[in-house]
């Protein structure tokens, strides 16, 4: 690796640039993770940022979180007896139950993946 320098006010300063990361669409979970590690896990954030792996880490967290929410909602719906028959018979109750299940699943994901 070749280091170049610039002269500023009589001093030679190295031209240091962070590695370029590919642009990726990051969703809600990735942004929550980024904010958390930036505030509470500074060393991890700095290491990921300077190595150019922050975007990949956040994309991985986003994908894992979405899959985990989907899986947990399906499991909890099956355990609670929330079925398509209930959806046809009482759509309002089904919607309320599914919203509760989704919030519970998201809380689990936040505790297990995002804030650890």
């Amino acid at each position: 690796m070749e280091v170049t320098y610039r002269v500023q006010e009589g001093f030679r300063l190295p031209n240091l640039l962070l590695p370029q990361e590919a642009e990726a669409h990051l969703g809600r979970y990735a942004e929550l993770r980024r904010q958390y590690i930036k505030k509470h896990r500074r060393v991890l954030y700095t290491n990921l940022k300077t190595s150019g792996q922050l975007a990949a880490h956040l994309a991985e967290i986003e994908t894992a979180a979405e899959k985990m929410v989907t899986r947990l909602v399906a499991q909890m719906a099956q355990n609670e007896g929330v079925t398509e028959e209930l959806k046809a018979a009482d759509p309002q109750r089904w919607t309320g139950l599914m919203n509760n299940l989704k919030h519970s699943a998201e809380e689990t994901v936040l505790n297990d993946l995002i804030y650890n």
Side-chain angles (χ1 to χ4, degrees):
M1 183 170 135
E2 184 179 323
V3 179
T4 59
Y5 294 88
R6 70 180 185 281
V7 177
Q8 186 174 348
E9 297 180 10
F11 295 100
R12 289 182 51 179
L13 302 174
N15 295 321
L16 302 176
L17 299 174
L18 292 174
Q20 296 296 318
E21 295 186 57
E23 282 292 320
H25 171 70
L26 301 176
R28 174 178 173 234
Y29 301 113
E31 183 58 28
L32 288 171
R33 177 67 175 174
R34 186 190 65 77
Q35 290 174 1
Y36 173 76
I37 63 174
K38 187 174 183 180
K39 186 174 182 180
H40 299 286
R41 308 271 310 270
R42 292 181 188 162
V43 173
L44 175 62
Y45 179 79
T46 302
N47 288 343
L48 289 170
K49 184 90 169 159
T50 56
S51 67
Q53 297 177 352
L54 181 62
H57 172 75
L58 295 177
E60 182 181 330
I61 290 291
E62 181 71 25
T63 303
E66 288 174 355
K67 286 180 182 178
M68 191 172 176
V69 166
T70 303
R71 183 179 47 82
L72 286 172
V73 168
Q75 285 176 351
M76 288 190 287
Q78 184 179 10
N79 292 342
E80 296 291 325
V82 181
T83 62
E84 290 298 316
E85 290 81 24
L86 178 63
K87 182 178 181 180
D90 191 356
Q92 194 169 17
R93 183 167 182 259
W94 181 86
T95 302
L97 290 171
M98 289 302 288
N99 284 339
N100 286 340
L101 296 177
K102 184 172 183 192
H103 290 297
S104 296
E106 287 179 343
E107 189 67 30
T108 301
V109 167
L110 292 176
N111 288 328
D112 291 352
L113 284 179
I114 308 301
Y115 302 131
N116 71 8

